[in-house]
Amino acid sequence: MDFLIHVDQSSGVALHRQIYEAFRGAILSGRLRSGEKLPSTRALSKSLGIARATVTMSFDSLLSEGYIEAAVGAGTFVSRSLPEDLMRPAMETGDSGSLSDPVLKAATPKVKARSRGRKRKDGTESIVSTGEPSAVQGYRLSWYATALRSREWLSFSPDEPNVQLSFGRPAMAEFPMRVWNGLLLHHARKRNLALLDSPANAAGFRPLREELAAYLSRVRAVSCQPEQVIIVNGSQQGIDLVTRVLIDRGDDVCIEDPGYIGAQKAFEAQGANILPIPVDKNGIVVDKLKQHEREREGFSPQLVYVTPSHQSPTGVVLSVPRRLELISWAKRVGAYIVEDDYDSEYRYKGRPIPALAGLDHAGTVIYIGTLSKVLFPALRLGYLVVPLDLAEVFTRAKWLADRHSPLLEQQVLADFIRMGHMERHVRRMRNLYEQKRKLVIEALKTHFGGAATVLGDAAGINVVVRFPSELSDDEIVARAKTAGIGITSTSHCYLGESPRGEFQINYAHLKEDAIDSCIGTLSKIANASRI
Amino acid sequence: MDFLIHVDQSSGVALHRQIYEAFRGAILSGRLRSGEKLPSTRALSKSLGIARATVTMSFDSLLSEGYIEAAVGAGTFVSRSLPEDLMRPAMETGDSGSLSDPVLKAATPKVKARSRGRKRKDGTESIVSTGEPSAVQGYRLSWYATALRSREWLSFSPDEPNVQLSFGRPAMAEFPMRVWNGLLLHHARKRNLALLDSPANAAGFRPLREELAAYLSRVRAVSCQPEQVIIVNGSQQGIDLVTRVLIDRGDDVCIEDPGYIGAQKAFEAQGANILPIPVDKNGIVVDKLKQHEREREGFSPQLVYVTPSHQSPTGVVLSVPRRLELISWAKRVGAYIVEDDYDSEYRYKGRPIPALAGLDHAGTVIYIGTLSKVLFPALRLGYLVVPLDLAEVFTRAKWLADRHSPLLEQQVLADFIRMGHMERHVRRMRNLYEQKRKLVIEALKTHFGGAATVLGDAAGINVVVRFPSELSDDEIVARAKTAGIGITSTSHCYLGESPRGEFQINYAHLKEDAIDSCIGTLSKIANASRI
């Protein structure tokens, strides 16, 4: 055997490990062939000048991992059970060990290209691995993944501007973080494993589900049992679970247009047949739903998705007559209403309107609650309230999705609500945000005069404003970015044609004294001419 | 107007709220009809003996929510825009207000039963709402949800026994919780919102992705870029995302039999055509995969799912020759290998075998890493390592699933790894668990003699043991429960027929001095005769 082993006493790598690596590499690269005999541990230890026990240790590893095998009384051999096609190329080409990736090269000659086309008949996509140029093989992705890849995706700048108007962030600086962190540490110190493991707990930490049921009854006039509450990782997971439980490819789904992009993308990726329903100053236009009903025999969409408290993005509040009309329509056609009750906490004119889930008691409404806008987005906690007969299937879907949401935050949140911190915080923020909203509206009047139109009602944590400009939306966004302002046009929320010059201003987290100058800058940008 | 309002000064409910509720209830129940005139605020305040401002406040709410409308100079009326069909039943039946749910009853006469059958042609399920007996309406769930409902589901006892052998829990008491909580509080105190919001961050906190890429290179011989690492909520979400990105209904999927139930259920619910592949002492039997390949023209499964480090549940380690064979086969047929590297940290004989993802460099392997067994299950953090050309689609799928995993724990974990705590902890636990494993094996010998067979290799945090008994598995489980021992048979892991008397013993979290007596109790149960 002319196989040389080098060991380097000064390399810092244990000697037995070096010997192991040397043999393993030689076997994988084909330099040592299947069935070839290895030197004895005695001979090797002598020739290398190291302890036999060290060599034995390496051989034990190689044995236990199947690279080599021992025949009683005959010695040690490279394992015969290693796949032959793995070894062949090295033997055929006489390659003596320069292969950087023997496994890959070995397998290449036998690779069959599975499908090189881009699109298959059923709409799924074949992809060509970009990993290695020599490995031309096709893998197919699911219809879902293909939909995700083929559609336009969201892109936001990763840079953080001085003033960020694009995202619905709460006023984090006002959050009672000391209280929260106190509870966090309290529960972190006594983490209790026994609270876990049971599939029944996929629906969430029971005391939190109880607190949320009581909270919803107090503030949203929703009467539900804790069994109907499913804790999820923010409203997006709520939307996702609803999508999976209710929608098959080709199913009719009605959504607001313009509407919330996170829901729209989820329904699209599931293959829903999206029916865009316009929104007016009273919210989703139920007459349009009725028109679909009249015009299509047996019309029976799986669901209608709405953001009634503060329509996303326009900011209108779904009026009570519309709410009742919507429920009545949904019952008639057998559609679920998916009520994304985003921004429900903040209404500055009158009390918050009771949720759809509070107006209906017949199991037509699936309620999605978010806490990201009330507490803080990084929390990743939200909840669903589902009709009782769907609680089990949603719990199973949640279990399969990720077992359960993180327990620690659920414990903290349960205490936070129980002790009254949540409602106290919401009350404080309602006053603060109302004040900030006024400043935004005033600044718009000051700088744009009558040119800027504020859409929507006095609610939520953002306003949508429309103003004329010679510049395109993209140009306005780009110039604002240069001026240190992050702003997003609502055009990506529209399914059909979108109006020009419509932007969302999220004000909850803005510093009061920054509002005026920020709007001033925007007005200068809007009034600039094209160059 | 003969409509009476009762206000109760002592009820604790604000008077304006009481008036609001009374009118709202009357309108919704049909006692006040559309177009009907309301008393003036002056008249009402006089008749009730309360301040007019209070009445006005109630009317403002009713106005702003659309229940009533004002005609200049004519007075206030019940809104004419309320849906007529909502009002009608009360009028028709002459019901004077005893309706518990006016919306529901109002809508009922026009409800069309959509489908009352249980199963539709396409396999989806029609359900009948159990909410209200009067509302007979059918809603259809998705194929996915129907699959979730129709199949047998997991059921574990919610009671916590004295000794729990059923779940793969780590030795929580040994976890450096003070270090962890110190980092937790540190990051909690300086929560930074700017780290969020960007869809690019759906893949996770960048420094954590970097730490994990480096960690995998050190301990699993996997060389990958941080861009390939996607942070998920535990391995179950990893499995779920893989399912959605790769599997369409009817796709062939190969899994180990017996195998991991969390993966099996996910693939089933997605509608995969499951091909069970047997497992022997070297892991998944690749010859069986080759047999499928020979017997079916154009055989091209989407993926093969394996648990190579410590097969779930049998505990065997996939040998190196098998690994190479598997990679070679997967490349040939164009299937992804989904490597769930659960329990990879603990191997008590030799070093851990490098991951499949480390043996292959051509993008065939999707690696799923879990931290639940190393740190603690409530953490809900795991990760995927995907081929570079799939990173974007997995990131999008993650964004749609729940935006991103909770940030705070990601920050803590990144530090925990960077500071060396993770590997230090794993080293400590490896010694501890090896010791506990020995105690389990000894106890089995002592109490069962030669009757108990231990399956699998010296790795992981559980052993599977098979022993004869006159009792059925269910009887053994029930009697163990009575004796304060939670134990689960492996029968639910088998797709075909399962052997009798095969149980999983998770020992990592057991107290050393409890092991012997627990196994002793089990042997008494096993040796008891049926009564």
Side-chain angles (χ1 to χ4, degrees), chain B residues 13-164:
Chain B
V13 177
L15 290 176
H16 68 91
R17 177 96 194 233
Q18 290 188 44
I19 298 168
Y20 164 87
E21 291 292 355
F23 276 102
R24 180 174 170 271
I27 291 167
L28 285 177
S29 69
R31 276 180 292 151
L32 274 174
R33 297 175 190 188
S34 176
E36 202 163 326
K37 192 172 178 181
L38 268 64
S40 70
T41 49
R42 183 187 302 267
L44 203 56
S45 80
K46 214 166 169 188
S47 82
L48 294 173
I50 56 179
R52 189 170 169 197
T54 306
V55 177
T56 305
M57 200 188 295
S58 327
F59 274 41
D60 282 350
S61 289
L62 291 164
L63 263 170
S64 79
E65 294 176 14
Y67 290 105
I68 61 177
E69 56 197 10
V72 179
T76 312
F77 302 85
V78 176
S79 180
R80 277 167 223 271
S81 63
L82 290 170
E84 273 190 37
D85 59 354
L86 181 86
M87 303 295 133
R88 202 185 305 139
M91 292 190 278
E92 282 171 355
T93 60
D95 188 302
S96 61
S98 66
L99 292 176
S100 62
D101 178 7
V103 177
L104 171 74
K105 284 220 182 170
T108 303
K110 291 190 79 180
V111 164
K112 289 184 299 191
R114 188 168 153 188
S115 166
R116 300 180 194 214
R118 294 298 296 169
K119 283 275 182 183
R120 290 157 45 114
K121 212 170 46 189
D122 62 357
T124 57
E125 186 186 3
S126 291
I127 56 163
V128 173
S129 167
T130 57
E132 292 283 340
S134 62
V136 184
Q137 51 195 333
Y139 291 95
R140 183 172 58 82
L141 300 189
S142 68
W143 194 96
Y144 182 83
T146 307
L148 282 187
R149 284 164 75 109
S150 64
R151 295 188 188 258
E152 202 185 332
W153 197 244
L154 319 159
S155 67
F156 295 111
S157 162
D159 307 329
E160 186 60 13
N162 287 336
V163 184
Q164 179 58 280

Side-chain angles (χ1 to χ4, degrees), chain A residues 89 103-112 134-136, chain B residues 331:
Chain A
V103 176
L104 172 72
K105 283 221 184 169
T108 303
K110 290 191 76 179
V111 163
K112 289 185 300 192
S134 63
V136 183
Chain B
K331 283 180 191 298

Side-chain angles (χ1 to χ4, degrees), chain B residues 261-273:
Chain B
I261 197 91
Q264 186 187 312
K265 294 273 176 209
F267 301 150
E268 274 178 4
Q270 191 77 353
N273 178 39

Side-chain angles (χ1 to χ4, degrees), chain A residues 153-198:
Chain A
W153 197 244
L154 320 159
S155 67
F156 296 112
S157 162
D159 307 329
E160 187 61 13
N162 286 336
V163 184
Q164 179 58 280
L165 307 178
S166 294
F167 306 110
R169 293 173 177 167
M172 274 290 286
E174 300 295 327
F175 184 75
M177 200 51 95
R178 285 189 59 178
V179 171
W180 183 271
N181 285 343
L183 293 170
L184 188 75
L185 198 65
H186 169 73
H187 288 288
R189 280 191 176 132
K190 56 180 190 71
R191 283 179 201 262
N192 181 358
L193 265 180
L195 290 165
L196 292 176
D197 294 331
S198 163

Side-chain angles (χ1 to χ4, degrees), chain A residues 495-513:
Chain A
L495 286 150
E497 213 171 330
S498 59
R500 263 188 63 176
E502 196 179 281
F503 295 89
Q504 203 174 39
I505 297 177
N506 287 277
Y507 52 77
H509 65 290
L510 297 184
K511 291 208 177 77
E512 270 126 319
D513 53 13

